[in-house]
Amino acid sequence: MSIWSALNSAYSFEDAFRAKDCTSQAMRAAVKEWFRLYYQQEPTEESDPCQRIAYTVVNKLTKTAFGEYDAKSDDEFAQSVLHVLDAVKKKAMQAALIGGEAWLKPVPGRDGFTFSVVSRDNVLIFGRDSQGVQTDVGAAEYSVNGRNFYTLLERRTVDRRGYLTIRNMLYCSEMPETLGRQVPLAELEQYEDLPEEYTFREPLGGLGMARMITPMENCVDGSKDGVSIYAPAVGLIHNIDRNEALLNGEFERGQSRIIVSDDLLRKDRTGRRRLEDKIFVGGFDENPEDMKPIIFSPELREKSFLARKQEYLRDVESIIGLKRGLLSEVEAEERTATEITSSAGDYNLTIIDFQSMFEDAVREAVRLCGVLGRLYRVPGAHDVNPDKVSIDWGDGVLYNRDKVNQEMLSQVQSGLLAPERYLGWYYEQPANTPEERARIRKDYMPELKGLAAEDDL
């Protein structure tokens, strides 16, 4: 259940938080629709989501973005955080692409950190600063224990000085659509250590969560809220699903429709029609007794499923503004950074934009874990410089490694780049300090052993 899924549930959540959500009605409806389009599988009489366009868009972009992703740090604590983040990276990216934004919430424990992904459909926004950055939010987390449904409500508020206060409330209900009654946090084992209210003794630099927001302008209400990657194409997706339902109908009818007199399609006293109106179509009513059924049999619009989907995805690319081929090219070959970023016309949204979104969130998450770990006395935790995190997105996505290799070799031969720095890049070894460069000379440049080398490079 999302925070807006049940009838009037937003109002009950607002009552529980004692605050008013500043999200517009248009955005609330849009968020619900984005998640419905992503998860809908069952066809209706008017719509068939068999092409799963929203699901395809999100998963193609996620798989492409993380195709050769690798994050590491020479800081042991930072590396442990990156290892945990690696387990939720795809879930976080998908949540952000579906709902327009998502949050990575670090959870400190005795042995280190874990992360939970907070999606947009489970968040109410109560306040923003002048730049549109959220300063007061409420989130919901759901669980089941026995025959009862539990909802943990967490409110995070940043005051003017930058200090974060977290308030927790637990509700229990016999039905998943309602909040029910408030119960003690200790009623569930996983929440027994949570305080009802806590204010951190030093500023965290925000809400204590790493925010991910899609790199697109809000096309719903123009607000600072993030929008789904397929937000501009919602109308097109509905038309595609409608078109699939019509095509399915043609196949089910075996091409034919039968034109009959209108009186044969009138409802009887029980409200039933004598003829099925999906097959029989009303004709002229002037002389019903002389009217004979006429079979209308057009050529069946047969086209392969994959070919239709490729054309659909091209249309979606055009509306969203994605680089042509990101979705529709089934067998796309490896491309260099220049080929990926260069665009004609409006096709300027590329994989790099989504990778940058996640990379910013990763660096912020590592920084937050350093601060929170120190405050919660997590073993080995300390303040971490985000620059200590090295993220490599791989060849064919951000850059062409062979091309960069040739350029760096040329700089070494011209005396513009120290050999130690080139070898450090090539073998993925740090080369920032004199000690690190000395280690590279020892391991990879034995012919220079015993010779003096300048370290002020």
Side-chain angles (χ1 to χ4, degrees):
M1 182 181 78
S2 75
I3 210 163
W4 294 314
S5 63
L7 181 64
N8 294 327
S9 66
Y11 298 106
S12 61
F13 278 109
E14 288 173 339
D15 290 339
F17 282 117
R18 297 181 181 179
K20 180 68 176 177
D21 183 16
C22 62
T23 306
S24 69
Q25 288 297 331
M27 274 300 300
R28 294 189 189 195
V31 171
K32 288 177 65 175
E33 181 65 4
W34 298 334
F35 280 87
R36 190 191 69 80
L37 284 174
Y38 183 83
Y39 288 105
Q40 182 186 11
Q41 300 184 48
E42 296 298 325
T44 65
E45 185 175 347
E46 300 296 327
S47 177
D48 186 352
C50 62
Q51 294 278 357
R52 300 299 300 273
I53 299 299
Y55 177 89
T56 302
V57 171
V58 170
N59 281 272
K60 271 181 171 282
L61 292 178
T62 300
K63 290 177 66 176
T64 304
F66 292 115
E68 298 176 81
Y69 170 82
D70 183 39
K72 60 179 63 176
S73 174
D74 55 4
D75 183 289
E76 185 177 352
F77 172 72
Q79 182 60 44
S80 69
V81 175
L82 292 173
H83 177 73
V84 177
L85 277 169
D86 193 65
V88 298
K89 64 179 185 293
K90 291 185 178 179
K91 181 179 180 181
M93 177 69 82
Q94 290 168 346
L97 294 179
I98 296 169
E101 51 190 309
W103 295 261
L104 287 164
K105 184 173 80 171
V107 181
R110 294 183 180 90
D111 300 325
F113 281 89
T114 58
F115 281 89
S116 62
V117 177
V118 183
S119 60
R120 182 63 178 92
D121 63 332
N122 285 316
V123 171
L124 298 178
I125 299 174
F126 302 128
R128 300 178 185 274
D129 63 16
S130 59
Q131 302 300 316
V133 178
Q134 297 130 0
T135 57
D136 191 356
V137 301
E141 182 177 297
Y142 308 98
S143 57
V144 180
N145 186 18
R147 301 177 64 179
N148 293 326
F149 298 89
Y150 289 89
T151 305
L152 177 70
L153 297 185
E154 179 189 76
R155 184 171 180 180
R156 292 173 173 247
T157 306
V158 179
D159 63 20
R160 294 182 179 179
R161 300 175 302 160
Y163 288 87
L164 172 66
T165 298
I166 299 179
R167 300 175 181 87
N168 296 296
M169 298 177 290
L170 185 63
Y171 286 81
C172 177
S173 172
E174 295 180 354
M175 297 180 294
E177 295 84 8
T178 59
L179 275 177
R181 69 188 189 283
Q182 187 172 359
V183 297
L185 291 166
E187 186 161 322
L188 284 184
E189 183 179 357
Q190 64 261 39
Y191 302 136
E192 62 183 1
D193 293 333
L194 284 180
E196 292 185 0
E197 183 173 329
Y198 179 78
T199 299
F200 289 89
R201 62 177 181 265
E202 66 178 76
L204 299 182
L207 293 168
M209 301 186 294
R211 184 189 183 199
M212 300 172 60
I213 180 168
T214 52
M216 304 167 64
E217 291 295 324
N218 187 307
C219 59
V220 176
D221 64 355
S223 68
K224 297 295 185 179
D225 287 301
V227 295
S228 170
I229 178 60
Y230 48 84
V234 166
L236 174 61
I237 294 173
H238 280 298
N239 285 341
I240 290 172
D241 292 348
R242 171 61 177 164
N243 187 55
E244 289 299 312
L246 292 173
L247 289 172
N248 289 341
E250 289 187 4
F251 278 95
E252 290 173 0
R253 289 189 295 271
Q255 294 185 271
S256 301
R257 303 194 80 182
I258 302 175
I259 303 174
V260 298
S261 174
D262 281 339
D263 67 332
L264 295 177
L265 295 177
R266 292 171 186 165
K267 295 181 179 179
D268 58 23
R269 294 180 180 179
T270 65
R272 295 182 178 179
R273 298 182 187 274
R274 285 178 285 174
L275 298 176
E276 173 58 53
D277 58 359
K278 285 186 178 179
I279 299 178
F280 297 92
V281 180
F284 299 101
D285 234 358
E286 296 178 357
N287 298 302
E289 63 280 359
D290 297 331
M291 181 77 179
K292 295 181 179 179
I294 301 175
I295 297 179
F296 174 68
S297 182
E299 181 181 355
L300 191 63
R301 291 176 291 175
E302 183 176 2
K303 199 173 184 180
S304 77
F305 182 89
L306 290 177
R308 285 206 314 277
K309 187 160 193 171
Q310 190 173 23
E311 189 59 36
Y312 290 154
L313 291 175
R314 286 197 187 101
D315 294 338
V316 171
E317 286 171 343
S318 298
I319 291 181
I320 293 176
L322 287 171
K323 173 69 177 177
R324 177 71 77 183
L326 283 182
L327 302 175
S328 58
E329 291 184 9
V330 180
E331 297 180 354
E333 60 183 14
E334 292 293 321
R335 291 166 288 171
T336 66
T338 302
E339 291 170 329
I340 288 180
T341 56
S342 64
S343 302
D346 295 328
Y347 306 125
N348 55 5
L349 195 62
T350 71
I351 290 297
I352 295 177
D353 297 297
F354 305 109
Q355 291 172 332
S356 297
M357 172 186 72
F358 185 76
E359 183 169 335
D360 291 342
V362 167
R363 296 185 186 280
E364 173 63 9
V366 172
R367 185 197 69 80
L368 274 174
C369 286
V371 179
L372 291 171
R374 177 168 48 77
L375 294 175
Y376 281 98
R377 295 184 173 86
V378 175
H382 59 271
D383 291 339
V384 179
N385 185 341
D387 292 337
K388 286 288 186 179
V389 175
S390 173
I391 298 180
D392 183 5
W393 295 100
D395 298 348
V397 177
L398 282 183
Y399 65 95
N400 186 312
R401 191 177 183 87
D402 291 337
K403 183 177 180 180
V404 173
N405 182 49
Q406 292 300 321
E407 291 176 350
M408 294 182 72
L409 276 176
S410 176
Q411 292 175 345
V412 170
Q413 294 168 355
S414 302
L416 300 175
L417 180 68
E420 293 89 339
R421 292 196 179 277
Y422 163 73
L423 290 171
W425 168 84
Y426 189 85
Y427 291 106
E428 298 181 350
Q429 299 293 323
N432 298 315
T433 66
E435 293 78 12
E436 291 170 346
R437 292 194 288 273
R439 184 166 57 249
I440 289 176
R441 286 194 295 272
K442 178 181 178 182
D443 294 341
Y444 303 107
M445 304 169 65
E447 67 277 8
L448 296 182
K449 187 176 181 180
L451 297 180
E454 296 291 336
D455 282 326
D456 54 341
L457 302 172

